[in-house]
Amino acid sequence: MSLSHLSHLSSAPNKSALAGLLNRTVMYLPTIHPSPYPPAPVSSIMTSFDLNANAQESLYLAMRKFCSLVLSQHTSASDTSSYIRELLSASAKDLDPKLVELLVAVVPTLCQTWRAASLKNSPSPPKLTTIDWRVSLPRSQTDSSVSTGATLMLNLGVEEGDGEGRKLQLEMDKAGVDTLLDGLGKIKDQLN
């Protein structure tokens, strides 16, 4: 797919519509929507661009490619601006210079929001926040001496990817603790 189809963006009624269309396109970047046809939220914005169905499809595919390339490259606004200029000069030489400058002005300001949303929505493993433990030594009913059934009560505080915290409670006997420590020892050896 050629980025030259971005030329259809010049029919955007205003800068706000252009930014809205780019934002909606980024929402559908994951392979959840592999269809070449714009999803309804993107298509509804494109109606204000006065484009036929083929032009909408070409523009949508070009925007997906453009946004994917931009998001995968640079983090700072100045790097993003430079990259956009280089990308468009190499891949879409026929674009109107005013459109290129508009994209250079709009996209870097949107990139930080896109990246933050992408990180927030991407699955990530829970992060360990707290560890609390105690050893429970059960006493015999008939005798005050300690019985042999000691157990470890382990409370782990974890924070999910969405920022919500929760508690995990584990109870282990000596064999379970030995298994856990053996596994953690193997992990530590691999990390060294």
Side-chain angles (χ1 to χ4, degrees):
M1 171 54 50
S2 169
L3 293 181
S4 63
H5 293 289
L6 292 175
S7 62
H8 295 301
L9 289 174
S10 60
S11 62
N14 54 44
K15 187 176 176 179
S16 174
L18 175 68
L21 183 59
L22 291 168
N23 276 328
R24 291 293 173 107
T25 300
V26 168
M27 286 175 44
Y28 290 93
L29 276 182
T31 56
I32 295 169
H33 185 76
S35 169
Y37 302 105
V42 176
S43 194
S44 66
I45 294 174
M46 283 187 173
T47 57
S48 67
F49 283 49
D50 195 31
L51 299 173
N52 65 35
N54 288 337
Q56 286 185 15
E57 180 183 328
S58 300
L59 174 57
Y60 176 67
L61 292 174
M63 285 190 316
R64 280 179 54 108
K65 182 177 180 181
F66 172 72
C67 291
S68 294
L69 289 169
V70 170
L71 282 173
S72 68
Q73 292 299 316
H74 301 284
T75 55
S76 76
S78 63
D79 285 347
T80 303
S81 297
S82 299
Y83 179 72
I84 291 169
R85 280 191 180 91
E86 291 171 18
L87 177 66
L88 294 177
S89 68
S91 303
K93 297 175 181 157
D94 300 345
L95 282 185
D96 181 359
K98 289 181 181 179
L99 178 59
V100 171
E101 289 309 309
L102 182 60
L103 289 170
V104 166
V106 171
V107 173
T109 59
L110 298 173
C111 274
Q112 294 304 322
T113 306
W114 294 343
R115 286 189 181 99
S118 176
L119 289 174
K120 184 178 179 182
N121 295 330
S122 67
S124 63
K127 293 180 175 82
L128 182 64
T129 56
T130 60
I131 298 176
D132 186 26
W133 60 273
R134 69 180 170 90
V135 176
S136 176
L137 302 170
R139 299 217 174 249
S140 172
Q141 295 283 341
T142 59
D143 189 84
S144 63
S145 65
V146 175
S147 69
T148 59
T151 58
L152 170 68
M153 306 296 284
L154 185 62
N155 295 314
L156 304 174
V158 295
E159 185 177 297
E160 300 290 336
D162 60 4
E164 287 191 32
R166 64 184 178 110
K167 298 280 185 188
L168 295 173
Q169 297 179 338
L170 304 170
E171 186 175 328
M172 291 180 247
D173 61 4
K174 184 176 180 338
V177 172
D178 288 341
T179 302
L180 176 66
L181 292 175
D182 182 51
L184 290 174
K186 289 176 182 177
I187 292 168
K188 182 180 177 183
D189 292 342
Q190 287 182 6
L191 291 174
N192 289 332

